[in-house]
Amino acid sequence: MSRRLTHEDAVDGIWGGSVLACGGGGWVSHGEVMAEAATNAGTPVLASVDELPDEALVVTVTAIGAPGAAGWEIQPRDYVNALQLVMDRCQAPVVAVLTAQNGASTTINGWIQSATLGVKVLDAAGDVRAHPTGKLGGMGLTDRPGYTTVQAVAGGNRKAHGELRLVAEGTIVTTSNVLRDVSVRVGGFIAAARNPVEAAWVKKHGAIGAISYALNLGRAMRAADGSGARAVIDAACNVTEGTIIAEGPARITRPMRTHGGFDHGAFTVDGLELRYLNEYMTADRGDARVATYPDVITTMSMKTGRPATISEIKEGDELAVFHVHRRHLPLSSSTRDRIALAEVEEIMGVELIKPAEA
């Protein structure tokens, strides 16, 4: 059943999304800006996928770039403009939007578009957790025979590059790669809308219930906030069936570098190596893989109990590594997309397909 989304819901979404951000997934401060903008602009509406007829048109809304980029700028209206560009090119009305992923700001994706353009926010996502590439949030569309996408971006660092609006049509792989390059040229991050598809495809291939999952997680963590960091972490574990797989000071082994629209690097916590490409993708202890995408892998601050993002972690920070195995998560088809996973394997030089299929 549809329901109105409130500012309290948005705060829950930011808290829960921050865990599912897996070290990246946007920024809390940007999530707060988008929460204020969306709930002040109107009333976002959350709908279950079952409320939509199979033929209804749905668009994915997101942002593209590297969370560690220093020169990015996205204004709330950029998200609206990107969606409008896609809507203008669709052969039928766009009824709903869904976020490509959960995250500190990305769980709020689609709310301002709902408030201003009247589309519904689907209780679903391209991926229940954050990921580094558009293909991983594509709900398996890279494998859909004959599918041609429309992707649009809007925004950019106005002072340095001016405002940009751009539409790309073609295969998901090519258009995604082109628009990631564009994100680099406009400051590192840009608002996007993409992949118009019928609701029937989302029902079969999306991460169903992903927004409610994030809101429930955030609500439980906020309720425990007054009881200290350990209570917040325990609340996250209880809601998700998650566990803590390492605790201790961060030891940075590969300092972050931003290249090609991605943040790359690694560090260890109590001998557990966390490697990331924008988000944590693997956790290894020696030669043993402890956790692997699409598992949720997140670092939590032992001071606050809240997630510690990759770009903020400093040498010696006391962290807990939080893990939710994929069997406990609502997964989308794109988490098993061998084309998307192979691309990340090549960039990172790690194995993802075999561990994820094990």
Side-chain angles (χ1 to χ4, degrees):
M1 179 179 292
S2 294
R3 73 172 183 88
R4 295 179 176 182
L5 290 164
T6 67
H7 191 267
E8 279 295 298
D9 290 324
V11 177
D12 290 339
I14 293 166
W15 274 68
S18 296
V19 176
L20 303 172
C22 296
W27 311 262
V28 169
S29 59
H30 189 55
E32 291 169 346
V33 168
M34 294 308 303
E36 288 288 339
T39 53
N40 287 337
T43 305
V45 175
L46 182 70
S48 72
V49 295
D50 293 335
E51 296 176 53
L52 299 188
D54 285 350
E55 66 275 10
L57 203 59
V58 178
V59 171
T60 297
V61 289
T62 187
I64 301 170
W72 68 274
E73 178 186 347
I74 301 178
Q75 298 180 10
R77 64 186 176 90
D78 295 333
Y79 291 98
V80 178
N81 291 338
L83 177 60
Q84 189 67 64
L85 288 170
V86 173
M87 293 173 76
D88 290 345
R89 285 158 177 79
C90 289
Q91 300 300 309
V94 174
V95 175
V97 294
L98 79 160
T99 184
Q101 60 182 31
N102 275 311
S105 54
T106 55
T107 296
I108 314 301
N109 283 346
W111 294 31
I112 192 167
Q113 296 94 320
S114 178
T116 57
L117 298 177
V119 296
K120 293 182 178 180
V121 178
L122 275 192
D123 190 4
D127 192 346
V128 70
R129 56 150 286 176
H131 51 257
T133 72
K135 295 95 163 172
L136 285 174
M139 296 182 291
L141 286 169
T142 56
D143 287 332
R144 181 172 177 172
Y147 181 76
T148 298
T149 189
V150 178
Q151 299 203 42
V153 292
N157 185 315
R158 271 67 169 178
K159 277 189 177 180
H161 308 284
E163 182 179 355
L164 176 74
R165 300 184 192 182
L166 183 68
V167 179
E169 300 185 37
T171 68
I172 287 184
V173 173
T174 301
T175 54
S176 295
N177 290 343
V178 166
L179 295 182
R180 181 163 294 276
D181 291 342
V182 168
S183 76
V184 175
R185 294 179 181 274
V186 297
F189 239 90
I190 195 165
R194 63 188 181 218
N195 302 351
V197 71
E198 63 276 10
W201 187 270
V202 179
K203 294 174 185 181
K204 184 176 180 180
H205 296 281
I208 306 303
I211 303 305
S212 292
Y213 185 93
L215 298 185
N216 292 337
L217 172 56
R219 193 173 301 119
M221 294 173 67
R222 290 178 68 199
D225 189 34
S227 300
R230 180 63 67 178
V232 175
I233 294 171
D234 287 345
C237 290
N238 291 337
V239 170
T240 61
E241 298 187 66
T243 59
I244 301 303
I245 55 176
E247 286 187 35
R251 301 299 180 208
I252 298 173
T253 54
R254 303 180 196 182
M256 180 192 291
R257 64 185 182 92
T258 300
H259 175 72
F262 297 106
D263 296 330
H264 309 248
F267 58 89
T268 64
V269 176
D270 190 28
L272 185 74
E273 184 183 46
L274 303 173
R275 292 192 61 180
Y276 59 84
L277 185 71
N278 286 2
E279 288 83 25
Y280 299 120
M281 300 299 287
T282 61
D284 297 301
R285 192 175 294 280
D287 294 331
R289 178 65 53 85
V290 178
T292 196
Y293 177 87
D295 297 358
V296 169
I297 308 166
T298 299
T299 40
M300 313 280 270
S301 168
M302 293 304 298
K303 288 184 178 180
T304 66
R306 295 191 68 174
T309 63
I310 291 165
S311 60
E312 297 171 342
I313 291 172
K314 297 179 177 60
E315 181 78 17
D317 283 355
E318 290 291 332
L319 303 173
V321 181
F322 172 82
H323 172 233
V324 184
H325 194 277
R326 52 197 173 277
R327 66 175 169 268
H328 301 307
L329 297 168
L331 297 179
S332 65
S333 293
S334 47
T335 62
R336 301 181 296 277
D337 187 327
R338 295 177 72 90
I339 294 173
L341 290 169
E343 178 187 29
V344 179
E345 285 186 331
E346 183 177 356
I347 295 170
M348 295 184 69
V350 299
E351 199 166 51
L352 292 172
I353 296 172
K354 286 183 180 178
E357 293 178 347

